[in-house]
Amino acid sequence: MENVLQILHDFQNNNPRNYLSQKDLTMIAKYLNVTHSSIYGVVSYYTLFSLKPRGKHIIRICNSPVCHMAGAKDIFTVLRENLKIGFGETTTEGLFTLESTECLGQCDQAPGMSVDETFYGNLTAKKIMPILKSYQE
Ligand code: FES
């Protein structure tokens, strides 16, 4: 079980829909010689894993207090209006999924969000669209 997180990450990252299927969980459980429910428990615990198909890029908006007070709600509003999706939803072309998350560990740059593994801080409404465009090219 010691490599389970890395294995789950590898499976999820190699899935074009950015999630773990039940078939994946079964294969991983069999490989690690553990129960399906123990793998399911790990996946359910970590918000970085998804059991639902998602977009190619995952946008996570920090909703912890520091970012919240610094204007995370305005960042969400810009994203919602431009992408036409809410939290937990994926754009129709399958490019972006929008998620809410706890502290991203960069509170000194609040408000912040991440796109995949990249953090963006000191966000303002004007900074959002250029960031999104860089993923659309
Ligand atoms: S509170 Fe948002 S990064 Fe820490």
Side-chain angles (χ1 to χ4, degrees):
M1 275 297 266
E2 68 187 47
N3 295 331
V4 66
L5 293 179
Q6 188 58 53
I7 293 169
L8 290 167
H9 271 294
D10 289 347
F11 268 77
Q12 183 168 275
N13 290 343
N14 284 312
N15 185 319
R17 296 299 313 274
N18 225 337
Y19 81 111
L20 292 159
S21 67
Q22 290 301 321
K23 189 176 161 192
D24 291 336
L25 301 194
T26 300
M27 280 186 355
I28 293 167
K30 198 170 185 176
Y31 176 75
L32 294 173
N33 199 24
V34 296
T35 62
H36 183 280
S37 62
S38 64
I39 297 298
Y40 180 85
V42 173
V43 170
S44 303
Y45 180 78
Y46 291 98
T47 57
L48 291 176
F49 297 122
S50 177
L51 293 167
K52 289 188 337 191
R54 298 184 295 179
K56 182 177 178 186
H57 301 292
I58 310 301
I59 301 171
R60 294 185 176 91
I61 303 176
C62 175
N63 69 3
S64 288
V66 176
C67 282
H68 186 76
M69 287 187 290
K73 190 176 174 188
D74 297 336
I75 303 307
F76 170 66
T77 300
V78 172
L79 287 165
R80 186 188 62 209
E81 288 175 356
N82 284 281
L83 297 176
K84 313 286 186 216
I85 55 173
F87 286 128
E89 296 178 343
T90 299
T91 53
T92 52
E93 84 286 30
L95 192 58
F96 296 110
T97 293
L98 191 56
E99 295 183 350
S100 171
T101 187
E102 297 303 316
C103 182
L104 291 164
Q106 307 282 340
C107 314
D108 59 327
Q109 297 177 55
M113 70 176 191
S114 65
V115 181
D116 304 327
E117 307 302 321
T118 304
F119 178 81
Y120 297 92
N122 299 313
L123 291 173
T124 61
K126 280 186 176 176
K127 290 181 179 176
I128 299 298
M129 289 317 291
I131 293 170
L132 293 185
K133 280 194 175 31
S134 72
Y135 289 89
Q136 291 167 324
E137 293 164 355

